[in-house]
Amino acid sequence: MTALVTGASRGIGRAIAVAFAERGHDVAVNYASGADSARETVKLCEARGVRAVAFACDVSRYAACQEMVGKAEEALGGVDILVNNAGITRDGLLMRMSEERFDEVYSVNLKSVYNLSRLVVAGMMKKRWGRVISLSSVAGLYGNAGQVNYSAMKAAVIGFTKSLAKEVGSRGITVNAIAPGFIETDMTAALPEKAREEALARIALGRFGQAEEVAKTAAFLASDDAAYITGHTIEVSGGISL
Ligand code: NAP
């Protein structure tokens, strides 16, 4: 099987790419600007005996995604597993949030999910097998002050997931989402110490999550062990919402 993982140059995306490589999948490693980091992900995948190729592409742009999917198909065959992982935050209270900050988060976190799903699902339908896995967030499930843009898009990813699951289920394609809590990556490293302490106090397991723990859930959803799970959102949060 071949997987396309967006935002795989760092963090959760890289961990997913490596977890897939460990399970024998070839990997198309997408990134926006981190060419060196993407090359490192490719090396980590290749070291596990699979083919991996890095593709620079701003996933918020449909035409660019179309070009990337074409190149990935040429280099690695079709895309059997799509992971919509690329995401950004542009936090701030609504009263101070510019239109630009809202639109940016919409484009990268939600429009991208449309772009890539639209481009790869036809191939999966022909093969009568496919997996679409999208990264949501606990912010999309429960809300988070200072993140109306981010929470809105992450909630929308869940609606998108449920609807697409109903559209393509009869063709052997499952569509699921993962809602991580607080995972230690560059995204959360940027948070102020006070916000980190407050988050930690709410986590039942008493620690932050690791990217590899989210990656294992993605690998499970991509596997045949999860063949009867679709339209679902799995929370990987250490019990932050309990
Ligand atoms: P991260 O460490 O900030 O990495 C973000 C990745 O997305 C990078 O590979 C980056 O590429 C890529 N990216 C950003 N904008 C892009 C664009 N326009 N086109 C293509 N790639 C783009 O993030 P992360 O923490 O691993 O998060 C991964 C996903 O999990 C996101 O969807 C995030 O919202 C979600 N999530 C994370 C957490 C958490 O606690 N970390 C919690 C809940 C949900 P470059 O390296 O080229 O910039």
Side-chain angles (χ1 to χ4, degrees):
M1 298 292 173
T2 299
L4 167 59
V5 184
T6 69
S9 46
R10 301 184 269 129
I12 294 171
R14 172 185 279 176
I16 292 173
V18 171
F20 283 180
E22 265 161 13
R23 287 154 182 82
H25 302 310
D26 293 332
V27 191
V29 173
N30 162 255
Y31 66 100
S33 59
D36 289 346
S37 313
R39 260 195 296 276
E40 184 57 33
T41 305
V42 165
K43 275 194 207 152
L44 290 167
C45 292
E46 285 175 342
R48 282 149 177 92
V50 300
R51 292 185 297 163
V53 185
F55 298 98
C57 163
D58 175 354
V59 291
S60 67
R61 293 177 47 237
Y62 188 84
C65 289
Q66 200 164 22
E67 201 179 311
M68 173 173 69
V69 168
K71 283 185 189 164
E73 283 172 349
E74 220 170 277
L76 300 168
V79 175
D80 307 296
I81 303 163
L82 167 66
V83 182
N84 291 306
N85 166 81
I88 57 167
T89 49
R90 295 289 182 266
D91 297 350
L93 297 173
L94 174 68
M95 293 305 287
R96 284 199 289 265
M97 187 177 289
S98 66
E99 188 182 356
E100 191 191 8
R101 288 191 145 228
F102 190 88
D103 289 349
E104 241 183 300
V105 171
Y106 156 70
S107 304
V108 178
N109 293 13
L110 179 60
K111 175 75 183 333
S112 63
V113 177
Y114 158 80
N115 289 344
L116 284 158
S117 305
R118 173 81 179 78
L119 286 162
V120 304
V121 156
M124 293 177 180
M125 284 171 107
K126 263 190 217 140
K127 286 193 186 166
R128 299 207 156 251
W129 195 95
R131 296 282 187 266
V132 178
I133 301 163
S134 301
L135 272 291
S136 177
S137 166
V138 291
L141 288 169
Y142 311 110
N144 203 16
Q147 289 198 311
V148 293
N149 50 0
Y150 184 80
S151 320
M153 303 319 149
K154 292 301 186 184
V157 163
I158 294 173
F160 184 103
T161 295
K162 289 178 180 173
S163 297
L164 184 60
K166 289 188 177 189
E167 287 185 20
V168 300
S170 64
R171 312 296 178 97
I173 303 168
T174 69
V175 189
N176 291 290
I178 300 173
F182 196 117
I183 309 299
E184 286 192 293
T185 66
D186 293 347
M187 185 175 271
T188 45
L191 290 171
E193 194 48 40
K194 190 164 174 282
R196 293 171 64 88
E197 276 168 20
E198 279 169 9
L200 189 57
R202 290 190 288 123
I203 301 172
L205 291 179
R207 64 172 178 86
F208 297 130
Q210 299 303 311
E212 291 71 21
E213 294 177 299
V214 180
K216 281 179 186 158
T217 306
F220 166 66
L221 287 172
S223 75
D224 281 331
D225 289 342
Y228 205 57
I229 300 174
T230 197
H232 194 67
T233 300
I234 300 185
E235 192 178 318
V236 183
S237 71
I240 202 168
S241 57
L242 297 173

